[in-house]
Amino acid sequence: SISQGSTLASRTLSQRTMVSMVHLAVWAAPTLLAAHRASAELIRGISYGPPPLRSMEEGWMPQDDWFCNEAVPLWGRSGRGDLRVMRELGANMVRLYGNNPEHDHTNFLDEALEEGLSVSAGMSDWPYYQKVPGSCLDTDLNCFTQIQPMYVQNLRKGFLRPDGSYHPALKYMNILNE
C-alpha cells in the first residue's frame, strides 16, 4: 500500500540521517574531546568532615559547619593545617557538607584560595525536613522560601566579595545533598 511505502521510505531516510549523524559524531568527537580536555581541569577533591575527634564535645559543630571560624584549629595554618595537608595530598578542591549561614566563611575561603584549593560548599539540610514548623515538607517540597534566605545570608557571610563578585575559591554551591 501507499502508506506502507511512505513509512518504509521515511524510515530509510531516518536511518540514513541517523547513520550520518553517527558518522559526524565519530568524526567530531576527537576534536571536541581534545578541546574539552584543554579547557577542563580534573577535579581531585576531598570531602571534608574532620571527625572522629577525641570526644563528642570536640567533634560537633552546629549544622556541620566545618568551615566557620570556630573550626580554624582544624583547617587553619595556626592549627592542624588540614587545608595544607589536602593540597600536599594532591587535592585541588574541598567539598563541605552543611553550614551555618550565620557564621562568616571568608577566612576559610581565603585560606583555601591561598592553598590553591577550590571550594564546593554545601548548605545545611535543616530547612528541608528538620525545621519545625516550616520545612519543605510543609510547602509541598517547594523549598524556595526556606532556601533563598539561607543562600542570601551565605552570600553576605563570605561567599560574595565587597565588589559583588563570588569569592574566587568558591566554585560550586550545593543546596541539597543526597
Side-chain angles (χ1 to χ4, degrees):
S1 88
I2 294 176
S3 64
Q4 283 181 331
S6 298
T7 304
L8 184 59
S10 66
R11 189 180 310 152
T12 304
L13 179 60
S14 176
Q15 288 171 346
R16 281 191 224 149
T17 303
M18 183 61 76
V19 168
S20 295
M21 289 172 47
V22 168
H23 281 263
L24 177 62
V26 169
W27 174 79
T31 305
L32 295 172
L33 186 57
H36 175 70
R37 284 183 179 154
S39 67
E41 179 182 2
L42 179 65
I43 295 174
R44 295 178 311 277
I46 292 180
S47 178
Y48 188 56
L53 299 174
R54 291 177 292 205
S55 70
M56 285 305 291
E57 292 79 31
E58 261 184 80
W60 183 79
M61 286 280 171
Q63 297 177 328
D64 295 325
D65 191 349
W66 295 105
F67 62 124
C68 66
N69 289 334
E70 289 82 0
V72 169
L74 300 171
W75 53 259
R77 291 180 185 167
S78 61
R80 252 182 9 195
D82 290 354
L83 291 175
R84 177 187 42 77
V85 171
M86 289 180 213
R87 180 189 41 78
E88 289 173 353
L89 289 170
N92 62 5
M93 180 174 284
V94 56
R95 166 70 164 104
L96 297 136
Y97 293 83
N99 74 54
N100 183 338
E102 296 173 0
H103 294 161
D104 193 285
H105 299 99
T106 305
N107 290 334
F108 182 92
L109 293 168
D110 288 345
E111 186 140 347
L113 186 64
E114 287 179 34
E115 292 293 348
L117 295 169
S118 298
V119 175
S120 175
M123 290 178 60
S124 171
D125 60 3
W126 177 75
Y128 293 100
Y129 57 90
Q130 296 171 5
K131 182 180 178 184
V132 177
S135 76
C136 294
L137 299 174
D138 296 337
T139 56
D140 292 326
L141 303 179
N142 180 348
C143 299
F144 181 82
T145 58
Q146 292 86 350
I147 302 308
Q148 192 260 353
M150 289 179 66
Y151 188 76
V152 168
Q153 203 168 6
N154 275 311
L155 293 175
R156 292 181 180 142
K157 296 290 188 166
F159 289 10
L160 282 186
R161 298 289 200 146
D163 68 1
S165 64
Y166 281 97
H167 192 288
L170 188 63
K171 296 297 181 200
Y172 302 102
M173 183 65 191
N174 299 295
I175 61 169
L176 180 63
N177 293 311
E178 299 78 39

